[in-house]
Amino acid sequence: MSDPTGPLTGVRIVEMTGIGPVPYAAMLLADMGADIIRIDRPGGYPALDPDLDFSAMDAASVFYRSRPVVQVDLKSDAGRAAVRGLIDKADAVIEGYRPGAMEALGLGPQDCLTRNPKLAFVRVTGWGQDGPMARQAGHDLNYIAKSGALSLFGRDGKPPVGLPPLVGDMASGALMAVIGLLSAVLCARAGGRGQVVDANIVDGSASLYTLLTALSAMGAHNAGAGGNVLDGGRYYYRTYACAEGGAVAVGAIEPAFRRILLERLNLADDPLFQNDDPKDEAARVARFSQIFASQPKEHWDQLFDGTDGCVTAILTPDEARRDPGLAARETFVQIDEVWQSNVTPRFSETPGSIQRTAREASRDDPGALSRWD
């Protein structure tokens, strides 16, 4: 592995292997050039479903790309000493264990900050480091349910369905951890002290709906879930089923965009769409539903291509990677026969890169322990 390149070159991070938010946060940081050493348990973590295709697992573990891994027995004095030595030379540690787990290993923030006063000790959990639920088990859905975020995905008086772990684990956990880690490192480099960063999913997901909180205070988002402008309550901002099983997203909020939407659908002169009377909203939705159901999503994608009508086909991940526009930008790349997202965000002067493939990054690399010597 060559030295990392990118805007975070020179930032050293010790990652304690986990699932969900921590490896994703570390992947983003490593893609941007942070020099990360991932510490895993002997035999790897976690114990995965025996029905998985283990022959493809190394290549498919894209979370682990761009940094080396070392399997260390943290139950041994030698293993703990090795990790402690790395932390002494690091700018940050990122871990996602239950509160108290790192302390039990002698690797908690008090021990580490005593030895390395500039250290950013980033802790990613569901419930946070304190409070009555801190050590209680949970998953993405539980955390965003408690924060209030999940309720915002209801529709027509029905409870929200289960969501993939994107709002909680990936956004509220991982991205807040990245922001917290970089903020703490910048603070320490500017003359401040090291500190503990509590990046938890409940706090993060509560922050994510700040816009809706502000709109509600202004009286613009006070209907039940699914009844507001920004959550599908208007004909011009919602999804519609199409012929042949597809669907489209319509997002023409602004009047200028809505005019284009109506013109393309030959509805510009239709009396039903000449006003915004709420009593006619169900009829407008019904008319749009009928129209979009008459053709496959590809038809509508082509009809609105290059316009500001704000209509796009809803693509599956497989369809997204084949989309010509995304392909032109190389939003997705194929490595070891596995399609995955490319490095993001993009930098003009110090571009990041995938420093090591997932397959390479899944192989135990004991030499990484001496990488910072």
Side-chain angles (χ1 to χ4, degrees):
M1 175 179 170
S2 59
D3 290 335
T5 58
L8 296 183
T9 298
V11 176
R12 292 176 169 180
I13 302 170
V14 175
E15 171 196 358
M16 308 303 292
T17 289
I19 57 175
V22 168
Y24 179 56
M27 183 198 84
L28 295 174
L29 293 163
D31 283 350
M32 289 187 282
D35 192 349
I36 300 180
I37 298 175
R38 180 166 68 91
I39 305 301
D40 203 351
R41 66 180 64 174
Y45 176 85
L48 296 174
D49 188 330
D51 293 330
L52 290 175
D53 181 2
F54 284 93
S55 64
M57 187 173 65
D58 286 351
S61 299
V62 294
F63 271 178
Y64 297 143
R65 74 189 190 193
S66 291
R67 69 269 194 202
V69 61
V70 186
Q71 294 184 0
V72 178
D73 182 6
L74 293 177
K75 295 181 180 179
S76 71
D77 291 339
R80 289 191 295 271
V83 172
R84 196 174 290 118
L86 286 177
I87 294 174
D88 287 349
K89 303 166 189 169
D91 294 289
V93 170
I94 183 168
E95 56 97 359
Y97 302 151
R98 288 199 202 192
M102 288 290 281
E103 286 84 346
L105 293 169
L107 298 171
Q110 184 173 353
D111 296 303
C112 292
L113 283 162
T114 298
R115 296 168 59 94
N116 183 354
K118 293 286 190 178
L119 184 71
F121 199 104
V122 182
R123 319 195 78 170
V124 188
T125 60
W127 307 115
Q129 293 299 309
D130 51 30
M133 302 181 73
R135 290 185 54 79
Q136 183 173 315
H139 284 292
D140 181 292
L141 204 63
N142 305 117
Y143 309 137
I144 66 174
K146 178 67 75 171
S147 74
L150 182 59
S151 71
L152 303 173
F153 291 85
R155 174 64 73 86
D156 301 327
K158 298 178 181 178
V161 299
L163 302 177
L166 304 179
V167 174
D169 282 357
M170 301 298 103
S172 308
L175 297 188
M176 295 299 178
V178 169
I179 293 169
L181 185 150
L182 295 178
S183 298
V185 169
L186 282 173
C187 180
R189 290 190 172 187
R193 296 185 299 174
Q195 57 189 304
V196 177
V197 178
D198 181 351
N200 68 83
I201 295 171
V202 170
D203 290 356
S205 56
S207 177
L208 287 181
Y209 62 82
T210 297
L211 170 63
L212 301 186
T213 300
L215 291 175
S216 178
M218 293 186 290
H221 194 91
N222 290 327
N228 303 281
V229 171
L230 294 180
D231 62 6
R234 300 293 183 274
Y235 76 92
Y236 51 78
Y237 197 84
R238 59 185 294 143
T239 59
Y240 292 95
C242 300
E244 301 178 11
V248 294
V250 177
I253 297 176
E254 293 84 355
F257 299 159
R258 201 147 65 243
R259 282 195 296 271
I260 298 171
L261 169 67
L262 295 173
E263 287 170 358
R264 288 275 163 160
L265 297 178
N266 297 316
L267 295 173
D269 298 322
D270 191 311
L272 183 60
F273 296 92
Q274 299 306 306
N275 64 75
D276 290 326
D277 192 332
K279 71 179 178 58
D280 294 328
E281 194 62 30
R284 287 189 281 265
V285 170
R287 179 72 65 82
F288 262 51
S289 297
Q290 181 183 34
I291 290 171
F292 281 112
S294 69
Q295 296 285 348
K297 67 183 181 183
E298 291 79 10
H299 169 84
W300 304 114
D301 216 26
Q302 292 172 12
L303 181 65
F304 286 92
D305 184 37
T307 79
D308 287 340
C310 300
V311 175
T312 50
I314 297 176
L315 304 181
T316 66
D318 283 344
E319 290 171 332
R321 66 175 176 80
R322 295 194 298 267
D323 179 79
L326 300 185
R329 287 183 50 79
E330 296 185 333
T331 299
F332 301 96
V333 293
Q334 188 179 34
I335 301 174
D336 293 335
E337 300 181 354
V338 176
W339 283 99
Q340 55 202 270
S341 62
N342 210 338
V343 177
T344 189
R346 306 182 187 202
F347 297 84
S348 62
E349 298 299 321
T350 56
S353 64
I354 296 174
Q355 317 279 347
R356 177 182 293 216
T357 71
R359 177 168 287 158
E360 293 167 341
S362 295
R363 295 171 182 153
D364 187 26
D365 183 4
L369 288 174
S370 59
R371 180 173 177 81
W372 297 339
D373 290 347

